[in-house]
Amino acid sequence: MEGIVADSQKHIYRIYFHSQGQVYEVYARSIYQSDLYGFVEIEDYIFGEKSQMVIDPGEDKLRTEFSGVQRSFIPMHAVLRIDEVEKEGVAKIMDSSGQNVTPFPMPVPKGGGKSP
């Protein structure tokens, strides 16, 4: 069993998701479909070392936002992309306006029986 645990720690995922009009790019070691219907769970966030000389303010903001968070439940429709990567990068928050990010298409509700 020890080999399986050690091997699972090697996986690193880059997750892009929408939150409050922004696109979050975060890195984590564990992501899976939640028992809560329609949600994805993210655990074990990865952030750069605080001992580095240059600290990215965007990553520091994310580190602060997710400090003390054991697990996040992200709605499936907010997830844009999940990549398995070899090593973590810099976590960041981007403004979704003007980006080449297209939200998942949702059906448009029909008007309440109005006739032309």
Side-chain angles (χ1 to χ4, degrees), residues 1-16:
M1 280 293 207
E2 230 175 88
I4 295 172
V5 173
D7 187 46
S8 69
Q9 293 302 313
K10 292 181 182 179
H11 295 284
I12 298 175
Y13 301 95
R14 176 176 53 209
I15 304 109
Y16 294 95

Side-chain angles (χ1 to χ4, degrees), residues 11-65:
H11 295 284
I12 298 175
Y13 301 95
R14 176 176 53 209
I15 304 109
Y16 294 95
F17 63 91
H18 279 287
S19 180
Q20 300 174 354
Q22 297 177 315
V23 176
Y24 282 53
E25 177 184 336
V26 296
Y27 292 83
R29 286 195 168 81
S30 181
I31 182 166
Y32 49 91
Q33 185 172 340
S34 174
D35 290 337
L36 292 172
Y37 183 74
F39 286 83
V40 171
E41 290 185 41
I42 301 173
E43 293 180 343
D44 300 326
Y45 287 97
I46 302 170
F47 296 104
E49 298 295 321
K50 271 197 152 186
S51 61
Q52 293 176 346
M53 293 294 277
V54 179
I55 297 176
D56 184 347
E59 185 175 35
D60 198 45
K61 179 181 176 184
L62 279 168
R63 183 192 320 268
T64 303
E65 182 173 341

Side-chain angles (χ1 to χ4, degrees), residues 18 21-23 80 94-103:
H18 279 287
Q22 297 177 315
V23 176
L80 299 172
M94 302 165 278
D95 188 19
S96 65
S97 63
Q99 296 280 334
N100 292 331
V101 176
T102 304

